[in-house]
Amino acid sequence: MTAPTPPTAELHLHIEGTIEAELLVRLADRHGLPLPSRDPAVLRERYEHFTDLQSFLDVHYANLAVLRTEEDFHELATGYLDHARRTGIRRAEVFFDPQTHVNHGVPIEAVIRGLSSAFEAAEETHGVSAAMILCFLRDLGPEAAEELLRAALPFREHFIGVGLDSTEVGYPPSLFTEVYAMAAAEGLHRVAHAGEEGGPDYVVEALDLLHVERVDHGIRALEDPALVARLREERIPLTVCPLSNVFLRAVDAIADHPLPLMLDEGLVVTVNSDDPAYFGGYVDANYTALGLDRDRLALLARNSFDACFVPEADRARWRAEVDAWV
Ligand code: ADE
Ligand code: ZN
């Protein structure tokens, strides 16, 4: 019998969102920093009570003060790769948020070197192909995003693209048109969170103004039939995160999640974990929670490989693994 969930790519994962409560406590002890509790169970209990994206981000950003050194970032990435290996991930394209850490006084070089030293060795150490996507925190605004991109360009070989995350409503994609053009001129891939809490107009702006190649979340695109038709025709992948949507109350319950409907609409949907330390599990838990049959799980997994920023030969090799899994 093969594994209960298919081999897959993970295309929507914030590395900072993999900080398990045990690591949080270990790093806080290492650096002599305060936490609301030293008990991982008590820390985790707080995660059950998010009411929306912002209520999560407030807890999340406060926790990240424990990440101080290159070694801390390396340990964080290695912890994720241990999970990735166990959960059938063949390829991970991982978001990181340098602005959070730079604002805590950590040099950008420590962030990038700590993470990239783990991810660039991941094929050998964990049998996982991994790459990094530099994200702009949209609530810090477009000038800060441009400053970040300029600061990161000396490390250009360590990331493959740019993304846009953090507080969505009130910070539409249009604000970031110029920094995305700068990124495109550097040959970087482009993705953006849109349609998680923001409306379908955010998705349209991400496509038209930022020229994104994938949309992160995108569930509210369903509210606009013309947009759904466009996403289907242009085969724009949507990196959907079912458990995240339940924990952050974008949907009421997993049984109400629109992902099956999105598949019915012929959209290129993928399954991802977003911030697995907070939202009840890793990518395998997200696949399982949906309660879909193996054919549909395989379709989702094939979609995930089709949506990777890798040569076609790699996609074909991984798709064949999915065919063997069914
Ligand atoms: N940063 C971490 N997780 C996020 C999410 N789900 N949406 C926006 N920004 C995030
Ligand atoms: Zn996200």
Side-chain angles (χ1 to χ4, degrees):
M1 187 62 183
T2 54
T5 56
T8 189
E10 169 125 81
L11 303 176
H12 185 157
L13 173 102
H14 303 263
I15 193 60
E16 293 88 351
T18 69
I19 191 159
E20 295 289 344
E22 289 76 11
L23 178 59
L24 201 55
V25 172
R26 198 162 65 243
L27 294 178
D29 287 346
R30 180 180 296 169
H31 301 301
L33 293 168
L35 283 179
S37 167
R38 248 49 195 179
D39 180 346
V42 173
L43 291 172
R44 262 194 297 271
E45 209 262 320
R46 299 161 77 223
Y47 306 164
E48 310 281 311
H49 306 292
F50 300 132
T51 51
D52 58 9
L53 173 59
Q54 192 61 52
S55 65
F56 155 68
L57 292 173
D58 292 343
V59 172
H60 177 53
Y61 293 144
N63 280 347
L64 297 181
V66 302
L67 289 163
R68 311 292 324 168
T69 66
E70 182 173 326
E71 184 195 2
D72 298 343
F73 285 94
H74 187 88
E75 211 169 312
L76 179 69
T78 303
Y80 168 65
L81 288 168
D82 292 342
H83 280 282
R85 172 167 51 195
R86 280 200 295 272
T87 53
I89 289 173
R90 301 295 186 269
R91 167 78 176 171
E93 297 180 0
V94 178
F95 301 142
F96 69 116
D97 285 341
Q99 285 160 302
T100 314
H101 315 301
V102 170
N103 291 346
H104 287 149
V106 181
I108 191 168
E109 181 167 358
V111 179
I112 296 182
R113 292 208 186 286
L115 296 175
S116 64
S117 56
F119 288 133
E120 287 163 15
E123 190 89 63
E124 286 112 80
T125 58
H126 290 78
V128 176
S129 161
M132 296 179 15
I133 295 179
L134 174 90
C135 282
F136 309 120
L137 299 182
R138 61 207 308 157
D139 47 325
L140 299 186
E143 285 82 24
E146 285 169 31
E147 191 185 320
L148 168 62
L149 182 56
R150 276 192 290 272
L153 281 178
F155 309 97
R156 166 71 183 82
E157 74 271 25
H158 298 298
F159 54 99
I160 60 166
V162 295
L164 186 63
D165 61 3
S166 199
T167 315
E168 183 174 355
V169 174
Y171 302 94
S174 54
L175 295 173
F176 300 90
T177 303
E178 276 172 36
V179 72
Y180 269 68
M182 281 168 61
E186 294 293 336
L188 289 160
H189 288 289
R190 294 159 314 280
V191 300
H193 285 51
E196 178 185 17
E197 288 189 340
D201 50 318
Y202 279 51
V203 177
V204 172
E205 280 192 7
L207 294 170
D208 287 345
L209 302 178
L210 308 188
H211 306 289
V212 296
E213 298 156 88
R214 300 194 294 247
V215 173
D216 298 314
H217 291 294
I219 54 173
R220 290 199 56 198
L222 283 175
E223 296 167 28
D224 177 348
L227 175 59
V228 171
R230 175 180 181 187
L231 291 167
R232 177 174 49 240
E233 276 150 30
E234 295 181 15
R235 290 193 57 76
I236 307 285
L238 303 168
T239 64
V240 176
C241 306
L243 289 175
S244 163
N245 296 149
V246 175
F247 270 72
L248 302 188
R249 315 274 177 97
V251 304
D252 289 337
I254 197 72
D256 303 323
H257 199 281
L259 185 141
L261 197 63
M262 297 168 94
L263 283 178
D264 292 343
E265 290 282 1
L267 299 177
V268 184
V269 185
T270 70
V271 174
N272 307 272
S273 67
D274 207 4
D275 301 283
Y278 296 92
F279 302 150
Y282 286 75
V283 75
D284 56 328
N286 277 271
Y287 271 97
T288 305
L290 291 165
L292 300 174
D293 64 30
R294 280 172 88 86
D295 284 341
R296 294 205 119 193
L297 296 182
L299 171 61
L300 289 161
R302 283 190 206 98
N303 285 348
S304 79
F305 293 128
D306 286 345
C308 289
F309 298 136
V310 295
E312 175 53 26
D314 290 328
R315 292 195 201 114
R317 177 164 50 87
W318 292 322
R319 273 196 308 261
E321 285 195 53
V322 178
D323 293 343
W325 174 84
V326 183

